[in-house]
């Protein structure tokens, strides 16, 4: 009897799945190295909860990748099962047939990627083809399913139209103006002809995922493990490259299937930001079945060549063993020590990304009068109360004022320099105009790699004299009665300590008022330095080293 592993499932150098280019923004292929890290984490979790048992030696365990692209997860699972089931299935062909027909399943996201996944898993784009390593399939798709799925359009605009035959004016729906009820896709962009992909994903375009899975794979199917790398976003018809996150839909749908284990790789921006993910963040942070998170500060460490800012993470969800979450941070091959902790710290409404940041936040909050163990500052101590909302004076980013000032005109700090505007034209932020203030960018500097550390965190703040305002390019901190107080606030914002507290609440380059909520108000009768702040809050050498590894110095007049 043959007991060796087929050539397809042996290690190759180079491995073709580590070399292929991504097809589109939603088809970001997972490198084999990352897939195997996730499978290693699954293996450890299974052993911990099954008295040391090997998940790959269990012929009853079922696996689903519900949005397979290259097929890398399924391929690596098959490779491990082939080795793990040697004792149970001595005959290699019988072993392979059992694994491919009874244990490993996938749902393609496009026709092309479904063919690619079958090629990776079955060694043939047709599961029942002459080159397939499986000998028991009757269909071309095998257990990697794909059929074109259509969006379900709703909320079309109503328009009046004169009927061409009767001449009667009637109210009808305007084609092309709707949105998909499942994913929010814009009809004008995604109502496509049969030659093009709809990007309507079968896994999330259903009201009853359990019934849908039963329809695809059999009524008695209950998956033990769901694993994969879902599509991340879809254009929502907004300005420029505006896109809505869709990965939360895949995570939520997978949780409704109630597998024993769920592991996915998704953008890390859900920790504290991200467009349209507030409800998802709340559900994740309150879900104690998330037992580990591996966070990669730079997405390029995981997906070379992919411009995904804010990093990525993969999590492991364990249905039957809730508890605290083990958090690991990875950056450029340097892995911080893991820490088991609650996803939602006392007093926080976001996930605090850095383990060392937790101890710093607790020290700051306690020194400002918060309860022991909380990271939340008392309301009266929060610096965000001094920070304006976006558009503090009602002027958009693209505002351009007059080049020459007239009597009583206000100076406007705008994108690209300064201009002037009549005082009477401003109706917002009137209580700030005639006081000293500090202006700070509403986004971090646009140059360089935002996934590199140490960060600047903020654009360089600058003073605003009475009679000055700003466009949406800046936020306004104030008002202050004197230039001296404003300068002391300015010195505080330049401190690395202050900017680290902002970074702990900041998921993207954008810097809204809420990211200042971990920053305490100080006595601004005098200026501040990092050394003074380190001493005030009793930081350890390790905590100081962490701050200075994460945040760049910011000197007066430049970087």
């Amino acid at each position: 009897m043959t007991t060796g592993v087929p050539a397809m499932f042996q290690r190759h150098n180079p491995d073709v799945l580590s070399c292929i280019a991504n097809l589109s923004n939603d088809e970001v292929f997972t490198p084999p190295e990352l897939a195997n890290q996730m499978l290693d984490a699954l293996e450890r979790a299974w052993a911990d909860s099954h008295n040391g048992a090997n998940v790959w030696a269990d012929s009853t365990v079922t696996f689903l990748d519900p949005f397979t692209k290259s097929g890398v997860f399924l391929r690596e699972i098959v490779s491990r099962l082939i080795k793990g089931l040697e004792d149970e299935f001595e005959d290699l062909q019988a072993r392979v047939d059992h694994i491919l027909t009874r244990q490993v399943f996938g749902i393609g996201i496009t026709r092309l990627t479904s063919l690619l996944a079958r090629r990776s898993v079955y060694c043939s784009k047709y599961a029942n083809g002459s080159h397939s390593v499986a000998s028991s399939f009757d269909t071309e798709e095998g257990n990697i399913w794909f059929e074109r799925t259509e969006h379900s359009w709703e909320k079309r605009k109503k328009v009046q139209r004169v009927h061409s035959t009767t001449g009667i004016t009637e109210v009808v729906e305007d084609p092309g103006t709707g949105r998909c009820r499942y994913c929010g896709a814009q009809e004008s962009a995604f109502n496509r002809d049969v030659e093009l992909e709809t990007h309507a994903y079968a896994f999330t375009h259903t009201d009853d995922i359990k019934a849908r899975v039963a329809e695809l794979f059999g009524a008695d199917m209950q998956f033990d493990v769901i694993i994969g790398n879902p599509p991340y976003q879809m254009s929502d018809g907004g300005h420029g490259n505006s896109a809505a996150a869709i990965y939360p839909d895949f995570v939520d749908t997978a949780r409704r299937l109630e597998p024993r284990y769920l592991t996915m790789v998704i953008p890390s921006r859900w920790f504290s930001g991200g467009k349209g993910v507030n409800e998802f963040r709340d559900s994740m942070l309150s879900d104690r079945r998330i037992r580990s998170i591996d966070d990669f500060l730079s997405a390029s460490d995981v997906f070379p060549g992919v411009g995904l800012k804010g990093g990525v993470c993969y999590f492991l969800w364990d249905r039957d063993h809730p508890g605290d979450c083990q958090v690991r941070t990875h950056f450029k091959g340097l892995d911080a020590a893991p820490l088991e902790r609650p996803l939602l710290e006392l007093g926080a409404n976001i996930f605090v990304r850095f383990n060392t940041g937790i101890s710093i936040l607790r020290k700051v909050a306690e020194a400002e009068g918060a309860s022991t163990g909380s990271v939340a500052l008392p309301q009266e101590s929060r610096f965000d109360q001094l920070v304006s909302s976006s558009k503090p004076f009602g002027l958009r980013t693209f505002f351009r004022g007059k080049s020459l000032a007239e009597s009583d005109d206000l100076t406007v700090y705008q994108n690209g320099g300064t201009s002037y505007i009549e005082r009477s034209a401003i109706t917002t932020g009137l209580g700030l105009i005639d006081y000293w203030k500090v202006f700070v960018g509403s986004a971090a500097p646009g140059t360089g790699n935002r996934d590199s550390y140490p960060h600047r965190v903020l654009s360089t703040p600058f003073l605003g004299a009475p009679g000055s305002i700003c466009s949406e390019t800046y936020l306004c901190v104030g008002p202050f009665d004197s230039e001296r107080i404003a300068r002391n606030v300015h010195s505080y914002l330049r401190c690395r300590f202050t900017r680290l507290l902002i970074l702990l609440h900041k998921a993207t380059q954008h810097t809204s008022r809420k990211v200042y909520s971990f920053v305490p108000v100080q006595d601004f009768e005098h200026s501040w330095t990092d050394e003074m702040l380190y001493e005030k809050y009793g930081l350890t050498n390790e905590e100081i080293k962490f701050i200075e590894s994460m945040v760049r110095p910011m000197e007066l007049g430049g970087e």
Side-chain angles (χ1 to χ4, degrees), residues 80-91:
R80 291 173 182 233
L81 289 171
I82 287 175
K83 183 176 180 181
L85 294 175
E86 282 180 337
D87 291 341
E88 183 172 348
F89 296 89
E90 186 177 357
D91 181 76

Side-chain angles (χ1 to χ4, degrees), residues 31-310:
E33 295 78 10
L34 179 63
N36 278 294
Q37 288 180 44
M38 296 168 68
L39 292 173
D40 288 344
L42 169 67
E43 180 180 325
R44 291 190 296 269
W46 184 278
D48 287 345
S49 59
H50 291 79
N51 297 315
N54 180 6
V55 65
W56 315 117
D58 191 330
S59 61
T60 67
V61 179
T62 52
F63 302 83
L64 172 68
D65 181 347
F67 23 77
T68 188
K69 297 182 281 291
S70 69
V72 65
F73 288 105
L74 301 181
R75 187 193 72 174
E76 296 303 311
I77 289 169
V78 170
S79 179
R80 291 173 182 233
L81 289 171
I82 287 175
K83 183 176 180 181
L85 294 175
E86 282 180 337
D87 291 341
E88 183 172 348
F89 296 89
E90 186 177 357
D91 181 76
L92 176 59
Q93 188 60 59
R95 195 187 325 151
V96 169
D97 279 345
H98 174 86
I99 292 167
L100 296 181
T101 62
R102 308 294 287 275
Q103 291 190 262
V104 176
F105 301 80
I107 300 174
I109 67 168
T110 65
R111 185 168 303 280
L112 178 59
T113 55
S114 68
L115 295 173
L116 180 57
R118 290 183 201 128
R119 180 65 180 81
S120 297
V121 177
Y122 305 139
C123 304
S124 169
K125 63 182 181 180
Y126 303 118
N128 61 351
S130 59
H131 298 291
S132 175
V133 296
S135 62
S136 303
F137 283 123
D138 297 324
T139 62
E140 292 181 348
E141 66 267 17
N143 281 337
I144 300 179
W145 179 91
F146 175 80
E147 284 182 11
R148 180 183 173 93
T149 302
E150 301 294 339
H151 293 282
S152 296
W153 307 118
E154 64 176 10
K155 298 181 180 178
R156 288 174 171 152
K157 294 179 180 178
K158 304 290 186 180
V159 295
Q160 289 187 337
R161 186 185 69 181
V162 177
H163 195 281
S164 59
T165 303
T166 65
I168 297 174
T169 300
E170 55 187 1
V171 177
V172 298
E173 291 184 341
D174 185 8
T177 62
R179 288 187 177 272
C180 178
R181 63 184 289 241
Y182 294 111
C183 68
Q186 188 179 41
E187 185 177 8
S188 60
F190 290 97
N191 190 9
R192 296 174 164 179
D193 134 329
V194 294
E195 302 272 323
L196 299 173
E197 295 288 354
T198 64
H199 297 283
Y201 304 110
F203 191 66
T204 54
H205 283 63
T206 177
D207 292 314
D208 188 338
I209 186 56
K210 290 187 176 181
R212 185 65 169 137
V213 165
E215 178 186 341
L216 299 184
F217 300 119
D220 59 346
M221 181 58 66
Q222 171 64 43
F223 293 104
D224 296 297
V225 177
I226 296 178
I227 185 171
N229 177 13
Y232 294 160
Q233 62 186 34
M234 179 175 287
S235 173
D236 62 1
H239 178 70
N241 294 321
S242 176
I246 59 173
Y247 62 88
D249 298 338
F250 291 93
V251 177
D252 291 341
T253 302
R255 285 190 289 188
R256 288 199 295 274
L257 279 176
E258 300 179 314
R260 292 197 209 181
Y261 295 93
L262 166 63
T263 180
M264 291 189 191
V265 54
I266 59 177
S268 293
R269 62 173 67 100
W270 73 266
F271 293 162
S272 60
K275 186 174 183 179
V277 301
N278 289 342
E279 185 176 340
F280 172 72
R281 176 168 49 254
D282 291 345
S283 73
M284 290 285 279
L285 295 182
S286 62
D287 191 343
R288 288 180 56 77
R289 295 167 294 183
I290 298 176
R291 297 306 311 276
S292 70
I293 290 178
D294 282 74
D295 177 27
F296 297 82
L297 302 187
S298 175
S300 62
D301 286 350
V302 176
F303 301 117
V306 175
L308 182 67
K309 301 303 180 185

